[in-house]
Amino acid sequence: MLQGLPNSVLQMSVIFLSIVIEALPFVLLGCLISGALQVFLTPERVTKILPKNKLASIAMGCGLGVFFPSCECGIVPIVNQFVKKDVPVHTAFAFMLTAPIVNPIVIFSTFIAFGNSAKFAVLRVLGSLLVAMVVGIWLAYFSKQEILKKQLSTASTEHHQGHHHDHAHVHTHDSEAKERKWTHQMRHLLQHSIDEFFDTGRYLIIGGLIAAAMQTYLPTGMMLTLGSTKFLAVLVMLVLALTMSLCSEADAFIGSSLLSLFGAGPVVGFLVFGPMVDIKNLLMMKRYFTGRFIATMVGLIAVVVSIYAWVV
């Protein structure tokens, strides 16, 4: 039956399955973390933990990925939950941009991919911190636009109020309070995680299909010939990072294979831009955040990464 299909369709199917199989565990983990944040993270706790100073808060968001590692495949539901729980947007998005890069697994895989050389691992981490600080400062001091989609923020408020009502009811029975509260919280965590997983999963499937189609049918050979100057090479590598939509644990091995064709700067741009902006992420973000905000943020990331890759 499959023998009658064109080779390109079979190739696209294999790429699609590899993207989805690679990403699903991380999406599931991200949704479980999102559920835990929904249940256990309160605005009061956020206020106690985070520093009042905006720059310090951005820096804290940048550093969270070291202790709270997350692949970009599952980061969007976590960040959405942060924003709904009153974590400042400049902190939440600084975390989103750095967590898939500064986590120890990715740093080690980058180190190995480039022949046990720390150079590209260090440049990658520095680049992600630079981008996150710029985006964080923009969100903290300059951006006034709406971030969460209105229907989601309204639903979140209603859900949050209902959740507090449930807890008030639980606390009225002192003798069984602890046991019932724990059972209620775990049920709520799992329910939220399952809902989040199916909501986010469909965007992963659509994103995986688009990424697989672009990898199969986009004329890569033509793109390689475009990289004749450093500026063009940087742009080509950003497009490749977007279209290939690789997991941050694996993209360094692809980047190292392109080093001889494009040079260090463009490859660093590829390593920094890919975990921040890819097709899967964009579709997942579209589920939660306004299109205007996403477009502005992606444009800002692209400019900062391009300049950084050019200087490197």
Side-chain angles (χ1 to χ4, degrees):
M1 180 180 167
L2 294 176
Q3 290 174 350
L5 293 172
N7 285 336
S8 60
V9 174
L10 295 174
Q11 183 186 349
M12 188 183 85
S13 303
V14 170
I15 294 171
F16 166 71
L17 284 173
S18 67
I19 289 172
V20 171
I21 290 168
E22 184 180 46
L24 268 178
F26 297 104
V27 173
L28 180 59
L29 178 62
C31 292
L32 283 170
I33 293 170
S34 174
L37 293 173
Q38 167 72 16
V39 174
F40 298 110
L41 187 70
T42 64
E44 293 76 25
R45 284 176 184 164
V46 172
T47 307
K48 287 179 183 177
I49 295 167
L50 288 176
K52 303 293 183 189
N53 181 276
K54 288 183 178 180
L55 283 176
S57 180
I58 295 166
M60 184 174 178
C62 291
L64 278 175
V66 177
F67 311 100
F68 194 35
S70 178
C71 175
E72 79 277 4
C73 303
I75 196 87
V76 176
I78 299 172
V79 171
N80 171 59
Q81 202 57 241
F82 274 156
V83 174
K84 290 201 295 188
K85 288 290 184 175
D86 293 339
V87 173
V89 290
H90 47 270
T91 307
F93 281 90
F95 169 74
M96 185 185 86
L97 297 176
T98 53
I101 294 175
V102 303
N103 80 67
I105 301 164
V106 173
I107 293 171
F108 183 67
S109 70
T110 307
F111 173 77
I112 296 296
F114 287 92
N116 295 347
S117 168
K119 175 187 172 183
F120 284 91
V122 170
L123 288 172
R124 186 179 200 183
V125 169
L126 290 176
S128 72
L129 294 174
L130 172 66
V131 174
M133 287 302 294
V134 171
V135 171
I137 289 167
W138 165 64
L139 286 169
Y141 297 103
F142 301 104
S143 175
K144 304 295 180 189
Q145 57 188 283
E146 192 67 35
I147 291 176
L148 276 180
K149 286 189 172 178
K150 285 184 180 178
Q151 65 268 31
L152 281 175
S153 55
T154 305
S156 167
T157 305
E158 291 171 358
H159 186 77
H160 195 57
Q161 288 169 350
H163 184 50
H164 276 295
H165 176 73
D166 289 342
H167 275 294
H169 179 69
V170 168
H171 280 296
T172 57
H173 303 279
D174 290 336
S175 59
E176 300 175 358
K178 286 185 180 179
E179 186 181 346
R180 291 187 61 190
K181 182 182 177 184
W182 175 251
T183 306
H184 172 82
Q185 285 177 329
M186 292 308 296
R187 188 173 69 247
H188 185 63
L189 186 157
L190 290 172
Q191 182 183 357
H192 179 85
S193 299
I194 291 166
D195 291 344
E196 194 86 68
F197 179 74
F198 282 105
D199 260 352
T200 309
R202 58 184 170 179
Y203 292 93
L204 169 68
I205 299 297
I206 297 166
L209 271 173
I210 295 170
M214 293 189 78
Q215 282 191 51
T216 305
Y217 297 109
L218 200 71
T220 311
M222 185 186 78
M223 291 181 67
L224 293 176
T225 59
L226 284 173
S228 51
T229 66
K230 189 172 183 180
F231 177 73
L232 284 174
V234 169
L235 293 182
V236 167
M237 287 300 275
L238 295 193
V239 172
L240 279 176
L242 172 70
T243 55
M244 293 179 83
S245 299
L246 298 166
C247 203
S248 58
E249 276 90 355
D251 61 357
F253 296 94
I254 303 298
S256 63
S257 70
L258 297 169
L259 188 58
S260 59
L261 283 170
F262 291 100
V267 167
V268 170
F270 173 84
L271 295 175
V272 174
F273 190 72
M276 296 181 178
V277 181
D278 68 20
I279 293 168
K280 306 187 303 293
N281 258 13
L282 289 176
L283 282 172
M284 289 183 202
M285 280 192 264
K286 192 74 179 74
R287 162 81 177 84
Y288 301 110
F289 310 123
T290 62
R292 185 183 167 202
F293 167 72
I294 295 168
T296 310
M297 184 179 70
V298 169
L300 183 59
I301 293 169
V303 169
V304 177
V305 172
S306 298
I307 294 169
Y308 180 71
W310 173 262
V311 172
V312 170

